[in-house]
Amino acid sequence: MFLSARYGSDVIVDLLQGFGIEYAALNPGATYRGLHDSIVNYGGNKPEIVTCTHEEIAVAIAHGYTKVTGKPMAAIVHDVVGLLHSSMAIYYAHIDRVPMLVLGGTGPINRSMRRPYIDWIHTALVQGNAVRDFVKWDDQPASVADFGPSFARAYRIATTEPAGPVYLCYDAGLQEGALSHPVSVTAEIEAARPTAAQADPAALTAAAERLANAERPVIVAEYGRHPEAFRELVALAELIGAPVIDLQARLNMPARHALNFTGSEAVLKEADLVLALDMGDLSRALNRLDRTTHERQSRIADGCAIVDIGLMELRSSKWSEDIGQFQPVDLSIVADTRLALPALRALLEKRRSSKWAERGGRLEKQNAGLRSDVEKHRREKWDASPLEPARLASEVWDAIKGEDWVLTANDLEDWAWKLWDIDSPARWPGRSLGTATQIGISIGVALAHRGDGKLIVDIQPDGDLLFDPGALWTAANMRLPMLVVMYNNRAYYNDWEHQLRVAEKRGTDKAKANIGMDLSDPPPDFAMLARSFGWYGEGPIADPKEVGPALRRAIDVIRKERRPALLDTIVRKRELTRFR
């Protein structure tokens, strides 16, 4: 197998193909020119190259693709400079528990082979040091013979839960050097993959006893990463009649389910037991923080028991404290929930009680009241211009609900979550992340759905797109079926709000909080920007009556012309109503 390889970089292509890597996102760079040539000529452009205008976009696209498929995608970054460009996107893949293969090249370690100047300033002694604190593993194999074992180990580490990105760095000299003898990677490709981690049976029995005896259990879930776990969580909640609070790192519960109480502090306050599943930061879920005084208050009553099932203890960065404040629990079970939840539910089936169905019925009636309140509040300021987020969410939902749609990230201040029928992880791969991530991740989501007929909907923040506008070129180049609806308040609103809090606390002038935050002078023309990259673009649109017809025109273009479309919708600045 793979005995026709002639160069070191051909062996890397054998590995990429053997492990089923379908795409490689990259911005061209000389340190992996050997690998680039091997992908195109030796590999027949398999994996398919996704050309990007920035390494950060390349990694973000791989991030979004993997959130949909569950399979790693490759991102290739050039030398020290490309790795540094991509480092923020790699960090967010770490935060989001996404398996990813980041491949890099380095100028020849053999100094006698280096080109003057450029290979010297772009070569590090250990290139992986730049990202080592927030990747699961990194390696720089010293021989072509080690390419196979190194790649196989990286793949296993990246995809074993809790998942995360890995970085492999390939010496340019090894890539471009001719092979003196055949190099087989068959054994590495065919090696068995690790299985998921199951829970301690005794601990699961103890958890089942606690849940069976609880009067007011509440389920809190965050990083449910697998469809099996999604289905099992729904079944468990229905069995015991427990409300679910979804922290939305992934979709853990259908948005319109009668037991979905996301955002409700009342059920947490009344709980006598919390079952925490796949948590990243349990303390944040169970405590509220006054952002001005920094005082912490518990959302649960004294004496409320906590049972935690997940893999958080197996995952942490030695550099970034993204796991949050330590939260004491009564029972901590290390397990993959796709295995633990079915076993827990089977134990509870044996303890089935009629009170569970009665409790579930009461919660369904309570949930109906909450839904009624949502319907009432969404009509407030319905005709306001610029648009209210609730009106924009309603208009987009009306336009897409007859389509086979996928929402990429931003939920319009929870209004999409409240109004849309988000019924499975296939509809929504999870919440948005930091600025300069969403456009790339959204394109990755669209890439994962390339050719399957789904309409990809990105509610796109203006500040985020201004970081990486070149990403629009990649979406047009790949003919991705994307509908981008700009969430454009012409400001870096999140930081504007922080300045308002500080001004309110200090008694300084809140009217000056816009300085350094406002993007309205001049206002970016996102529709023109999109058109310049080959998209259909329309806007700016501030009149709510114009949104529906514009959405229908855009969707029609996507379907008929097979190119992406962007609508620049102007949304009100929240601080004008929230801080008086």
Side-chain angles (χ1 to χ4, degrees), residues 14-63:
D14 289 341
L15 288 160
L16 289 166
Q17 292 183 356
F19 279 85
I21 308 303
E22 296 179 332
Y23 294 100
L26 57 84
N27 178 257
T31 52
Y32 62 83
R33 65 186 187 182
L35 175 57
H36 196 149
D37 178 81
S38 291
I39 291 174
V40 173
N41 294 301
Y42 174 72
N45 200 29
K46 293 182 180 180
E48 183 178 348
I49 289 176
V50 179
T51 307
C52 302
T53 59
H54 194 288
E55 289 88 355
E56 186 174 75
I57 297 169
V59 173
I61 288 174
H63 183 159

Side-chain angles (χ1 to χ4, degrees), residues 241-569:
V244 175
I245 294 176
D246 190 346
L247 299 186
Q248 304 168 339
R250 302 290 187 275
L251 185 72
N252 295 283
M253 191 73 172
R256 291 186 175 180
H257 195 286
L259 292 176
N260 190 327
F261 279 76
T262 299
S264 171
E265 292 206 5
V267 292
L268 270 179
K269 185 177 181 181
E270 296 170 359
D272 62 349
L273 182 143
V274 169
L275 173 62
L277 301 173
D278 288 313
M279 298 305 298
D281 183 353
L282 181 55
S283 177
R284 179 173 66 89
L286 301 184
N287 298 275
R288 81 175 65 83
L289 179 71
D290 186 308
R291 295 192 180 188
T292 301
T293 65
H294 299 287
E295 293 179 357
R296 188 177 299 273
Q297 296 176 323
S298 176
R299 290 189 170 105
I300 58 175
D302 291 342
C304 177
I306 304 171
V307 175
D308 178 48
I309 304 177
L311 298 168
M312 186 173 69
E313 303 300 335
L314 301 182
R315 178 210 169 276
S316 64
S317 165
K318 300 176 182 64
W319 175 68
S320 168
E321 295 189 297
D322 62 291
I323 56 177
Q325 179 75 348
F326 178 76
Q327 174 65 52
V329 301
D330 298 274
L331 181 59
S332 178
I333 303 175
V334 176
D336 192 316
T337 51
R338 61 184 148 167
L339 297 183
L341 286 177
L344 178 61
R345 186 162 64 90
L347 291 167
L348 285 163
E349 286 280 7
K350 299 175 182 178
R351 297 163 172 79
R352 184 186 286 270
S353 169
S354 59
K355 71 177 183 180
W356 298 352
E358 295 170 4
R359 183 167 61 210
R362 292 194 302 271
L363 286 166
E364 287 183 15
K365 292 179 182 178
Q366 186 179 342
N367 191 281
L370 295 175
R371 297 285 171 194
S372 179
D373 288 341
V374 167
E375 185 61 27
K376 175 184 175 182
H377 290 311
R378 85 177 178 99
R379 302 289 302 186
E380 294 174 356
K381 300 181 181 176
W382 186 251
D383 295 320
S385 177
L387 293 95
E388 288 289 311
R391 177 69 186 266
L392 182 57
S394 299
E395 293 289 349
V396 176
W397 174 238
D398 286 343
I400 70 166
K401 61 186 178 183
E403 303 277 344
D404 188 4
W405 57 272
V406 176
L407 175 65
T408 63
N410 184 1
D411 61 7
L412 273 171
E413 300 177 28
D414 291 334
W415 281 108
W417 175 266
K418 293 172 181 175
L419 299 175
W420 299 17
D421 187 13
I422 307 175
D423 58 356
S424 80
R427 295 291 189 200
W428 187 59
R431 67 185 178 220
S432 56
L433 297 165
T435 301
T437 63
Q438 183 165 317
I439 185 59
I441 289 174
S442 296
I443 291 172
V445 171
L447 180 64
H449 288 291
R450 185 186 184 197
D452 68 7
K454 295 186 187 297
L455 176 67
I456 311 305
V457 182
D458 172 22
I459 310 296
Q460 176 61 49
D462 52 343
D464 181 276
L465 183 54
L466 287 173
F467 271 90
D468 292 322
L472 297 175
W473 182 89
T474 297
N477 176 254
M478 301 295 290
R479 307 293 191 271
L480 299 179
M482 290 186 70
L483 171 63
V484 168
V485 181
M486 294 302 302
Y487 178 76
N488 184 0
N489 56 20
R490 292 176 173 170
Y492 289 112
Y493 169 72
N494 186 64
D495 290 284
W496 191 331
E497 187 178 53
H498 280 296
Q499 295 310 124
L500 286 163
R501 286 196 184 102
V502 172
E504 190 164 285
K505 181 179 180 180
R506 293 181 175 182
T508 53
D509 188 355
K510 289 190 287 185
K512 296 179 180 178
N514 68 309
I515 297 174
M517 309 291 174
D518 202 325
L519 291 173
S520 60
D521 183 20
D525 189 336
F526 289 105
M528 181 180 291
L529 178 66
R531 290 193 295 270
S532 75
F533 285 114
W535 290 51
Y536 173 83
E538 188 172 339
I541 302 170
D543 185 343
K545 297 184 182 65
E546 296 178 4
V547 175
L551 284 164
R552 288 188 286 275
R553 288 191 294 271
I555 293 171
D556 192 52
V557 167
I558 293 169
R559 293 305 188 201
K560 291 182 178 179
E561 301 181 19
R562 296 184 180 180
R563 61 179 175 136
L566 179 146
L567 296 185
D568 187 9
T569 59

Side-chain angles (χ1 to χ4, degrees), residues 56 59 63 86-98 100 134 165 223 315 432-437 441:
E56 186 174 75
V59 173
H63 183 159
S86 68
S87 60
M88 201 279 277
I90 296 172
Y91 177 68
Y92 270 105
H94 156 76
I95 292 291
D96 208 25
R97 282 77 165 162
V98 171
M100 181 190 302
F134 45 90
Y223 279 96
R315 178 210 169 276
S432 56
L433 297 165
T435 301
T437 63
I441 289 174

